[in-house]
Amino acid sequence: RDSQQADIEHLSRWKKWKRTSSKSLKKVLSEVKGLSSYLVLWQHDIHSIEGKFGTGIQSYFSFLRFLVLLNFIIFILMFSFVTLPTIISKYGILNNTIANISPKNIEDACTIYEPSDNKGLVYFYTYIQDLFSGTGVLEVTSLFYGYYTIDAVWISIMRYNLPFAYLLATFAYLALSLLWIIERSVSGFKQKLVHDADPFQSYCNKVFAGWDFGITDPSAARLKHCSLRWELQTDLQEEKLKQKIAERTMKEKLRIYSLRIFINIIVIAILSGCFYSIYRATVFSQENSNDINSANFVVSLLVQYLPSIVIVLANFISSLLFSFLITFEDYTPSFEIKLTLVRCVFVRLANIGVLLFSLWSQISDCGSDKCKPCGYNYKHYPCWETDVGQEMYKLMIFDFIVILAMLLFVDFPRKFLVSHFSCKLIQWFGEQEFGISDSVLEIVYGQTICWIGTFFSPLLPAIATIKYFIIFYIKKIRLIHTCKPEAKPVRASSSKFFFLVVLLIGLILSFIPVGVSIARIPSSKACGPFRNFNTSWEVVPDTILHFPTGLQQLLFGMASEAFAVPFFVLVCIVMFYFIALAEAHKPVVEQLKEQLVLVRFDPVY
């Protein structure tokens, strides 16, 4: 510093002013950056959680914040390009044209849609039922697909094609979610790759760099000690198990493989039972929801929520059974956790698929020529997209009710009993553990519902944003006041990557029902922006036909096999190039590792 001050004395006034201004600007920018951290959502709360409970639990709350931001951006996208133009047009602020049904090959019966909007005198609890089921008043609002009947909005001389915008907004929110998840998962993948590269390196990382210096709470420090001890014990146990596996006789191998095959058959039977139960519950609910006396409020609501209740029970029972069965399969502890989670993820996401399949089977039920005029069961489902949107809405609401009910009716009473009663049975149950993996599965399940349901209910992301915002505080209260952290926590570096991989699986699976609804199932002729088209996808070629001839030829050329085949070959060549590059780097990496070993023994080297 003295040397720099001496140098400054010999500088000109201009250079002194320039250096002083540069320092002042850096200081101002640093202060602004510090202040901007207060604008980041839940920054202080997440830092506080990290200090008290470590980075593993902190990564879950950061993941929850990411989903709040993602859903908020999806809501802004859908509202700006779909909902706002429709609302403005319906109130006559802009000129608009209504989608007119072409009379060719379409009977008048296909265009009849009379939603029950509770006209006249109704019971007061009917509005509560509508709020929970998305029927009545809510059915005719901008929350659901059937509200969007505008074909085009004219802004001055520019024509805004709402059906095309609706489809593009759907593709945009799916693409945005995919790119954002991949971008966030890259850093986690690198950490996991380094961690899994060398067992010895992993051991050294735990011993010399395993401490979490963000911890400020003594109880959290004790928890971190237990966590490190458990990880070291797990590593030693896995090494022993690997040695035991290597020494197995042929008879022992035959026994364990037979047992695993038998247990997997049981797992398949459990999955089949869950799927069949959901299918029957959905069919029963759809067939009887309109037949139940509306005056019997509770029964009517139970029938409408029957598929959601069965799905929650199937998720809960199957996860307990999978955790019990995995203990007999003789896997390593880390693989046990991964396999159980994979099974739980599959059953949760597959249950949503079965629900949609059950709905589609009812929509496409063409017995006795029910679908002949319209291509779908128009008598029971005149606006089937709204019906699917209502099911997704009910799943979203019921999922939130279950999470809230667990806090109020399970966690708080259990904490009270453990704290105030010394009964051995109560103390044996103990406090509820804050399971990070189970909590992640809950919100990934809810997010998958949101991705699927946004096409049928464009404002569903707004509900998801509010839901996850409240869940953050529910989980925070649950963590601090009613639960204790897991005795065997998930590693923070791998947990971030795991959360995003599970979320990516949910996103990829959500592509299937949305894609099938757009490309395969006939669109409703009585509601929605696509009622002029046989399927929602037909709006794309119809819109392209209105483009200039040169642009039409370019787009149709890009969609042809003459473009697709060379493009696929080029992508394969680029992929093989990067694979070859990675293989070429492997010997260099091994050589550098050997040199690092030599440095330990010969500092001069």
Side-chain angles (χ1 to χ4, degrees), residues 396-414:
M396 180 80 72
I397 297 297
F398 192 71
D399 183 50
F400 175 73
I401 291 170
V402 168
I403 292 171
L404 184 61
M406 286 295 292
L407 175 70
L408 296 176
F409 303 116
V410 177
D411 294 332
F412 272 125
R414 183 170 176 174

mmCIF file with all atom_site columns, all heavy atoms in Angstrom, residues 396-414:
data_model
loop_
_atom_site.group_PDB
_atom_site.id
_atom_site.type_symbol
_atom_site.label_atom_id
_atom_site.label_alt_id
_atom_site.label_comp_id
_atom_site.label_asym_id
_atom_site.label_entity_id
_atom_site.label_seq_id
_atom_site.pdbx_PDB_ins_code
_atom_site.Cartn_x
_atom_site.Cartn_y
_atom_site.Cartn_z
_atom_site.occupancy
_atom_site.B_iso_or_equiv
_atom_site.pdbx_formal_charge
_atom_site.auth_seq_id
_atom_site.auth_comp_id
_atom_site.auth_asym_id
_atom_site.auth_atom_id
_atom_site.pdbx_PDB_model_num
ATOM 1   N N   . MET A 1 396 ? -54.103 -30.378 -8.294  1.00 0.00 ? 396 MET A N   1
ATOM 2   C CA  . MET A 1 396 ? -53.266 -29.318 -7.735  1.00 0.00 ? 396 MET A CA  1
ATOM 3   C C   . MET A 1 396 ? -53.786 -28.872 -6.368  1.00 0.00 ? 396 MET A C   1
ATOM 4   O O   . MET A 1 396 ? -53.023 -28.747 -5.409  1.00 0.00 ? 396 MET A O   1
ATOM 5   C CB  . MET A 1 396 ? -53.232 -28.137 -8.707  1.00 0.00 ? 396 MET A CB  1
ATOM 6   C CG  . MET A 1 396 ? -52.406 -26.951 -8.259  1.00 0.00 ? 396 MET A CG  1
ATOM 7   S SD  . MET A 1 396 ? -50.654 -27.168 -8.521  1.00 0.00 ? 396 MET A SD  1
ATOM 8   C CE  . MET A 1 396 ? -50.569 -27.027 -10.294 1.00 0.00 ? 396 MET A CE  1
ATOM 9   N N   . ILE A 1 397 ? -55.091 -28.639 -6.268  1.00 0.00 ? 397 ILE A N   1
ATOM 10  C CA  . ILE A 1 397 ? -55.696 -28.180 -5.014  1.00 0.00 ? 397 ILE A CA  1
ATOM 11  C C   . ILE A 1 397 ? -55.583 -29.253 -3.937  1.00 0.00 ? 397 ILE A C   1
ATOM 12  O O   . ILE A 1 397 ? -55.205 -28.971 -2.789  1.00 0.00 ? 397 ILE A O   1
ATOM 13  C CB  . ILE A 1 397 ? -57.183 -27.793 -5.233  1.00 0.00 ? 397 ILE A CB  1
ATOM 14  C CG1 . ILE A 1 397 ? -57.305 -26.611 -6.206  1.00 0.00 ? 397 ILE A CG1 1
ATOM 15  C CG2 . ILE A 1 397 ? -57.856 -27.467 -3.907  1.00 0.00 ? 397 ILE A CG2 1
ATOM 16  C CD1 . ILE A 1 397 ? -56.678 -25.334 -5.725  1.00 0.00 ? 397 ILE A CD1 1
ATOM 17  N N   . PHE A 1 398 ? -55.879 -30.504 -4.301  1.00 0.00 ? 398 PHE A N   1
ATOM 18  C CA  . PHE A 1 398 ? -55.863 -31.585 -3.310  1.00 0.00 ? 398 PHE A CA  1
ATOM 19  C C   . PHE A 1 398 ? -54.445 -31.856 -2.818  1.00 0.00 ? 398 PHE A C   1
ATOM 20  O O   . PHE A 1 398 ? -54.241 -32.159 -1.633  1.00 0.00 ? 398 PHE A O   1
ATOM 21  C CB  . PHE A 1 398 ? -56.464 -32.859 -3.911  1.00 0.00 ? 398 PHE A CB  1
ATOM 22  C CG  . PHE A 1 398 ? -56.753 -33.925 -2.888  1.00 0.00 ? 398 PHE A CG  1
ATOM 23  C CD1 . PHE A 1 398 ? -57.796 -33.769 -1.993  1.00 0.00 ? 398 PHE A CD1 1
ATOM 24  C CD2 . PHE A 1 398 ? -55.982 -35.066 -2.816  1.00 0.00 ? 398 PHE A CD2 1
ATOM 25  C CE1 . PHE A 1 398 ? -58.066 -34.740 -1.040  1.00 0.00 ? 398 PHE A CE1 1
ATOM 26  C CE2 . PHE A 1 398 ? -56.241 -36.050 -1.876  1.00 0.00 ? 398 PHE A CE2 1
ATOM 27  C CZ  . PHE A 1 398 ? -57.292 -35.885 -0.978  1.00 0.00 ? 398 PHE A CZ  1
ATOM 28  N N   . ASP A 1 399 ? -53.462 -31.745 -3.706  1.00 0.00 ? 399 ASP A N   1
ATOM 29  C CA  . ASP A 1 399 ? -52.064 -31.918 -3.308  1.00 0.00 ? 399 ASP A CA  1
ATOM 30  C C   . ASP A 1 399 ? -51.686 -30.879 -2.247  1.00 0.00 ? 399 ASP A C   1
ATOM 31  O O   . ASP A 1 399 ? -51.014 -31.203 -1.249  1.00 0.00 ? 399 ASP A O   1
ATOM 32  C CB  . ASP A 1 399 ? -51.162 -31.785 -4.539  1.00 0.00 ? 399 ASP A CB  1
ATOM 33  C CG  . ASP A 1 399 ? -49.701 -32.028 -4.223  1.00 0.00 ? 399 ASP A CG  1
ATOM 34  O OD1 . ASP A 1 399 ? -49.399 -33.057 -3.587  1.00 0.00 ? 399 ASP A OD1 1
ATOM 35  O OD2 . ASP A 1 399 ? -48.856 -31.203 -4.605  1.00 0.00 ? 399 ASP A OD2 1
ATOM 36  N N   . PHE A 1 400 ? -52.113 -29.632 -2.443  1.00 0.00 ? 400 PHE A N   1
ATOM 37  C CA  . PHE A 1 400 ? -51.835 -28.582 -1.456  1.00 0.00 ? 400 PHE A CA  1
ATOM 38  C C   . PHE A 1 400 ? -52.557 -28.863 -0.142  1.00 0.00 ? 400 PHE A C   1
ATOM 39  O O   . PHE A 1 400 ? -51.985 -28.673 0.942   1.00 0.00 ? 400 PHE A O   1
ATOM 40  C CB  . PHE A 1 400 ? -52.269 -27.224 -2.017  1.00 0.00 ? 400 PHE A CB  1
ATOM 41  C CG  . PHE A 1 400 ? -52.143 -26.094 -1.037  1.00 0.00 ? 400 PHE A CG  1
ATOM 42  C CD1 . PHE A 1 400 ? -50.893 -25.596 -0.705  1.00 0.00 ? 400 PHE A CD1 1
ATOM 43  C CD2 . PHE A 1 400 ? -53.263 -25.541 -0.439  1.00 0.00 ? 400 PHE A CD2 1
ATOM 44  C CE1 . PHE A 1 400 ? -50.765 -24.560 0.213   1.00 0.00 ? 400 PHE A CE1 1
ATOM 45  C CE2 . PHE A 1 400 ? -53.143 -24.504 0.469   1.00 0.00 ? 400 PHE A CE2 1
ATOM 46  C CZ  . PHE A 1 400 ? -51.884 -24.017 0.792   1.00 0.00 ? 400 PHE A CZ  1
ATOM 47  N N   . ILE A 1 401 ? -53.812 -29.325 -0.201  1.00 0.00 ? 401 ILE A N   1
ATOM 48  C CA  . ILE A 1 401 ? -54.586 -29.626 1.013   1.00 0.00 ? 401 ILE A CA  1
ATOM 49  C C   . ILE A 1 401 ? -53.892 -30.722 1.826   1.00 0.00 ? 401 ILE A C   1
ATOM 50  O O   . ILE A 1 401 ? -53.810 -30.642 3.057   1.00 0.00 ? 401 ILE A O   1
ATOM 51  C CB  . ILE A 1 401 ? -56.024 -30.039 0.645   1.00 0.00 ? 401 ILE A CB  1
ATOM 52  C CG1 . ILE A 1 401 ? -56.798 -28.834 0.099   1.00 0.00 ? 401 ILE A CG1 1
ATOM 53  C CG2 . ILE A 1 401 ? -56.754 -30.623 1.845   1.00 0.00 ? 401 ILE A CG2 1
ATOM 54  C CD1 . ILE A 1 401 ? -58.140 -29.184 -0.503  1.00 0.00 ? 401 ILE A CD1 1
ATOM 55  N N   . VAL A 1 402 ? -53.364 -31.747 1.133   1.00 0.00 ? 402 VAL A N   1
ATOM 56  C CA  . VAL A 1 402 ? -52.678 -32.853 1.820   1.00 0.00 ? 402 VAL A CA  1
ATOM 57  C C   . VAL A 1 402 ? -51.427 -32.351 2.529   1.00 0.00 ? 402 VAL A C   1
ATOM 58  O O   . VAL A 1 402 ? -51.158 -32.716 3.686   1.00 0.00 ? 402 VAL A O   1
ATOM 59  C CB  . VAL A 1 402 ? -52.325 -33.971 0.810   1.00 0.00 ? 402 VAL A CB  1
ATOM 60  C CG1 . VAL A 1 402 ? -51.372 -34.986 1.428   1.00 0.00 ? 402 VAL A CG1 1
ATOM 61  C CG2 . VAL A 1 402 ? -53.585 -34.673 0.340   1.00 0.00 ? 402 VAL A CG2 1
ATOM 62  N N   . ILE A 1 403 ? -50.631 -31.497 1.859   1.00 0.00 ? 403 ILE A N   1
ATOM 63  C CA  . ILE A 1 403 ? -49.408 -30.972 2.471   1.00 0.00 ? 403 ILE A CA  1
ATOM 64  C C   . ILE A 1 403 ? -49.742 -30.139 3.706   1.00 0.00 ? 403 ILE A C   1
ATOM 65  O O   . ILE A 1 403 ? -49.091 -30.257 4.753   1.00 0.00 ? 403 ILE A O   1
ATOM 66  C CB  . ILE A 1 403 ? -48.617 -30.126 1.439   1.00 0.00 ? 403 ILE A CB  1
ATOM 67  C CG1 . ILE A 1 403 ? -48.068 -31.030 0.332   1.00 0.00 ? 403 ILE A CG1 1
ATOM 68  C CG2 . ILE A 1 403 ? -47.471 -29.367 2.112   1.00 0.00 ? 403 ILE A CG2 1
ATOM 69  C CD1 . ILE A 1 403 ? -47.468 -30.294 -0.839  1.00 0.00 ? 403 ILE A CD1 1
ATOM 70  N N   . LEU A 1 404 ? -50.785 -29.315 3.627   1.00 0.00 ? 404 LEU A N   1
ATOM 71  C CA  . LEU A 1 404 ? -51.201 -28.490 4.760   1.00 0.00 ? 404 LEU A CA  1
ATOM 72  C C   . LEU A 1 404 ? -51.765 -29.352 5.888   1.00 0.00 ? 404 LEU A C   1
ATOM 73  O O   . LEU A 1 404 ? -51.480 -29.117 7.074   1.00 0.00 ? 404 LEU A O   1
ATOM 74  C CB  . LEU A 1 404 ? -52.245 -27.468 4.287   1.00 0.00 ? 404 LEU A CB  1
ATOM 75  C CG  . LEU A 1 404 ? -52.726 -26.441 5.318   1.00 0.00 ? 404 LEU A CG  1
ATOM 76  C CD1 . LEU A 1 404 ? -51.566 -25.580 5.801   1.00 0.00 ? 404 LEU A CD1 1
ATOM 77  C CD2 . LEU A 1 404 ? -53.818 -25.563 4.719   1.00 0.00 ? 404 LEU A CD2 1
ATOM 78  N N   . ALA A 1 405 ? -52.554 -30.367 5.524   1.00 0.00 ? 405 ALA A N   1
ATOM 79  C CA  . ALA A 1 405 ? -53.156 -31.249 6.531   1.00 0.00 ? 405 ALA A CA  1
ATOM 80  C C   . ALA A 1 405 ? -52.091 -32.050 7.278   1.00 0.00 ? 405 ALA A C   1
ATOM 81  O O   . ALA A 1 405 ? -52.230 -32.285 8.493   1.00 0.00 ? 405 ALA A O   1
ATOM 82  C CB  . ALA A 1 405 ? -54.158 -32.190 5.859   1.00 0.00 ? 405 ALA A CB  1
ATOM 83  N N   . MET A 1 406 ? -51.021 -32.461 6.588   1.00 0.00 ? 406 MET A N   1
ATOM 84  C CA  . MET A 1 406 ? -49.936 -33.196 7.246   1.00 0.00 ? 406 MET A CA  1
ATOM 85  C C   . MET A 1 406 ? -49.287 -32.351 8.334   1.00 0.00 ? 406 MET A C   1
ATOM 86  O O   . MET A 1 406 ? -48.923 -32.865 9.406   1.00 0.00 ? 406 MET A O   1
ATOM 87  C CB  . MET A 1 406 ? -48.891 -33.611 6.202   1.00 0.00 ? 406 MET A CB  1
ATOM 88  C CG  . MET A 1 406 ? -49.315 -34.747 5.310   1.00 0.00 ? 406 MET A CG  1
ATOM 89  S SD  . MET A 1 406 ? -49.552 -36.305 6.191   1.00 0.00 ? 406 MET A SD  1
ATOM 90  C CE  . MET A 1 406 ? -47.868 -36.680 6.650   1.00 0.00 ? 406 MET A CE  1
ATOM 91  N N   . LEU A 1 407 ? -49.127 -31.054 8.076   1.00 0.00 ? 407 LEU A N   1
ATOM 92  C CA  . LEU A 1 407 ? -48.541 -30.167 9.085   1.00 0.00 ? 407 LEU A CA  1
ATOM 93  C C   . LEU A 1 407 ? -49.473 -30.006 10.287  1.00 0.00 ? 407 LEU A C   1
ATOM 94  O O   . LEU A 1 407 ? -49.037 -30.129 11.439  1.00 0.00 ? 407 LEU A O   1
ATOM 95  C CB  . LEU A 1 407 ? -48.240 -28.802 8.455   1.00 0.00 ? 407 LEU A CB  1
ATOM 96  C CG  . LEU A 1 407 ? -47.726 -27.720 9.423   1.00 0.00 ? 407 LEU A CG  1
ATOM 97  C CD1 . LEU A 1 407 ? -46.315 -28.052 9.890   1.00 0.00 ? 407 LEU A CD1 1
ATOM 98  C CD2 . LEU A 1 407 ? -47.766 -26.351 8.767   1.00 0.00 ? 407 LEU A CD2 1
ATOM 99  N N   . LEU A 1 408 ? -50.770 -29.751 10.023  1.00 0.00 ? 408 LEU A N   1
ATOM 100 C CA  . LEU A 1 408 ? -51.709 -29.424 11.093  1.00 0.00 ? 408 LEU A CA  1
ATOM 101 C C   . LEU A 1 408 ? -52.154 -30.646 11.892  1.00 0.00 ? 408 LEU A C   1
ATOM 102 O O   . LEU A 1 408 ? -52.302 -30.557 13.121  1.00 0.00 ? 408 LEU A O   1
ATOM 103 C CB  . LEU A 1 408 ? -52.949 -28.725 10.496  1.00 0.00 ? 408 LEU A CB  1
ATOM 104 C CG  . LEU A 1 408 ? -52.698 -27.365 9.837   1.00 0.00 ? 408 LEU A CG  1
ATOM 105 C CD1 . LEU A 1 408 ? -53.980 -26.853 9.203   1.00 0.00 ? 408 LEU A CD1 1
ATOM 106 C CD2 . LEU A 1 408 ? -52.152 -26.364 10.829  1.00 0.00 ? 408 LEU A CD2 1
ATOM 107 N N   . PHE A 1 409 ? -52.359 -31.780 11.215  1.00 0.00 ? 409 PHE A N   1
ATOM 108 C CA  . PHE A 1 409 ? -52.988 -32.929 11.879  1.00 0.00 ? 409 PHE A CA  1
ATOM 109 C C   . PHE A 1 409 ? -52.044 -34.103 12.132  1.00 0.00 ? 409 PHE A C   1
ATOM 110 O O   . PHE A 1 409 ? -52.447 -35.079 12.759  1.00 0.00 ? 409 PHE A O   1
ATOM 111 C CB  . PHE A 1 409 ? -54.186 -33.406 11.054  1.00 0.00 ? 409 PHE A CB  1
ATOM 112 C CG  . PHE A 1 409 ? -55.204 -32.334 10.816  1.00 0.00 ? 409 PHE A CG  1
ATOM 113 C CD1 . PHE A 1 409 ? -55.474 -31.867 9.539   1.00 0.00 ? 409 PHE A CD1 1
ATOM 114 C CD2 . PHE A 1 409 ? -55.887 -31.760 11.879  1.00 0.00 ? 409 PHE A CD2 1
ATOM 115 C CE1 . PHE A 1 409 ? -56.410 -30.868 9.318   1.00 0.00 ? 409 PHE A CE1 1
ATOM 116 C CE2 . PHE A 1 409 ? -56.831 -30.765 11.666  1.00 0.00 ? 409 PHE A CE2 1
ATOM 117 C CZ  . PHE A 1 409 ? -57.093 -30.315 10.378  1.00 0.00 ? 409 PHE A CZ  1
ATOM 118 N N   . VAL A 1 410 ? -50.802 -34.019 11.656  1.00 0.00 ? 410 VAL A N   1
ATOM 119 C CA  . VAL A 1 410 ? -49.838 -35.101 11.909  1.00 0.00 ? 410 VAL A CA  1
ATOM 120 C C   . VAL A 1 410 ? -48.598 -34.565 12.615  1.00 0.00 ? 410 VAL A C   1
ATOM 121 O O   . VAL A 1 410 ? -48.240 -35.029 13.708  1.00 0.00 ? 410 VAL A O   1
ATOM 122 C CB  . VAL A 1 410 ? -49.439 -35.810 10.590  1.00 0.00 ? 410 VAL A CB  1
ATOM 123 C CG1 . VAL A 1 410 ? -48.375 -36.878 10.869  1.00 0.00 ? 410 VAL A CG1 1
ATOM 124 C CG2 . VAL A 1 410 ? -50.644 -36.442 9.923   1.00 0.00 ? 410 VAL A CG2 1
ATOM 125 N N   . ASP A 1 411 ? -47.940 -33.574 12.017  1.00 0.00 ? 411 ASP A N   1
ATOM 126 C CA  . ASP A 1 411 ? -46.651 -33.111 12.552  1.00 0.00 ? 411 ASP A CA  1
ATOM 127 C C   . ASP A 1 411 ? -46.801 -32.379 13.882  1.00 0.00 ? 411 ASP A C   1
ATOM 128 O O   . ASP A 1 411 ? -46.063 -32.658 14.833  1.00 0.00 ? 411 ASP A O   1
ATOM 129 C CB  . ASP A 1 411 ? -45.959 -32.201 11.527  1.00 0.00 ? 411 ASP A CB  1
ATOM 130 C CG  . ASP A 1 411 ? -45.572 -32.956 10.273  1.00 0.00 ? 411 ASP A CG  1
ATOM 131 O OD1 . ASP A 1 411 ? -45.338 -34.166 10.376  1.00 0.00 ? 411 ASP A OD1 1
ATOM 132 O OD2 . ASP A 1 411 ? -45.503 -32.345 9.193   1.00 0.00 ? 411 ASP A OD2 1
ATOM 133 N N   . PHE A 1 412 ? -47.735 -31.432 13.978  1.00 0.00 ? 412 PHE A N   1
ATOM 134 C CA  . PHE A 1 412 ? -47.918 -30.685 15.234  1.00 0.00 ? 412 PHE A CA  1
ATOM 135 C C   . PHE A 1 412 ? -48.364 -31.598 16.383  1.00 0.00 ? 412 PHE A C   1
ATOM 136 O O   . PHE A 1 412 ? -47.777 -31.540 17.474  1.00 0.00 ? 412 PHE A O   1
ATOM 137 C CB  . PHE A 1 412 ? -48.912 -29.541 15.038  1.00 0.00 ? 412 PHE A CB  1
ATOM 138 C CG  . PHE A 1 412 ? -48.272 -28.268 14.564  1.00 0.00 ? 412 PHE A CG  1
ATOM 139 C CD1 . PHE A 1 412 ? -48.705 -27.633 13.410  1.00 0.00 ? 412 PHE A CD1 1
ATOM 140 C CD2 . PHE A 1 412 ? -47.220 -27.700 15.268  1.00 0.00 ? 412 PHE A CD2 1
ATOM 141 C CE1 . PHE A 1 412 ? -48.108 -26.462 12.972  1.00 0.00 ? 412 PHE A CE1 1
ATOM 142 C CE2 . PHE A 1 412 ? -46.618 -26.519 14.833  1.00 0.00 ? 412 PHE A CE2 1
ATOM 143 C CZ  . PHE A 1 412 ? -47.057 -25.904 13.685  1.00 0.00 ? 412 PHE A CZ  1
ATOM 144 N N   . PRO A 1 413 ? -49.395 -32.452 16.202  1.00 0.00 ? 413 PRO A N   1
ATOM 145 C CA  . PRO A 1 413 ? -49.770 -33.367 17.300  1.00 0.00 ? 413 PRO A CA  1
ATOM 146 C C   . PRO A 1 413 ? -48.631 -34.315 17.695  1.00 0.00 ? 413 PRO A C   1
ATOM 147 O O   . PRO A 1 413 ? -48.423 -34.572 18.883  1.00 0.00 ? 413 PRO A O   1
ATOM 148 C CB  . PRO A 1 413 ? -50.961 -34.149 16.717  1.00 0.00 ? 413 PRO A CB  1
ATOM 149 C CG  . PRO A 1 413 ? -51.525 -33.253 15.677  1.00 0.00 ? 413 PRO A CG  1
ATOM 150 C CD  . PRO A 1 413 ? -50.356 -32.538 15.088  1.00 0.00 ? 413 PRO A CD  1
ATOM 151 N N   . ARG A 1 414 ? -47.876 -34.810 16.717  1.00 0.00 ? 414 ARG A N   1
ATOM 152 C CA  . ARG A 1 414 ? -46.776 -35.728 17.022  1.00 0.00 ? 414 ARG A CA  1
ATOM 153 C C   . ARG A 1 414 ? -45.691 -35.013 17.832  1.00 0.00 ? 414 ARG A C   1
ATOM 154 O O   . ARG A 1 414 ? -45.158 -35.574 18.798  1.00 0.00 ? 414 ARG A O   1
ATOM 155 C CB  . ARG A 1 414 ? -46.204 -36.281 15.716  1.00 0.00 ? 414 ARG A CB  1
ATOM 156 C CG  . ARG A 1 414 ? -45.105 -37.311 15.901  1.00 0.00 ? 414 ARG A CG  1
ATOM 157 C CD  . ARG A 1 414 ? -44.782 -37.971 14.594  1.00 0.00 ? 414 ARG A CD  1
ATOM 158 N NE  . ARG A 1 414 ? -43.665 -38.898 14.711  1.00 0.00 ? 414 ARG A NE  1
ATOM 159 C CZ  . ARG A 1 414 ? -43.242 -39.697 13.723  1.00 0.00 ? 414 ARG A CZ  1
ATOM 160 N NH1 . ARG A 1 414 ? -43.862 -39.690 12.557  1.00 0.00 ? 414 ARG A NH1 1
ATOM 161 N NH2 . ARG A 1 414 ? -42.223 -40.509 13.900  1.00 0.00 ? 414 ARG A NH2 1
#
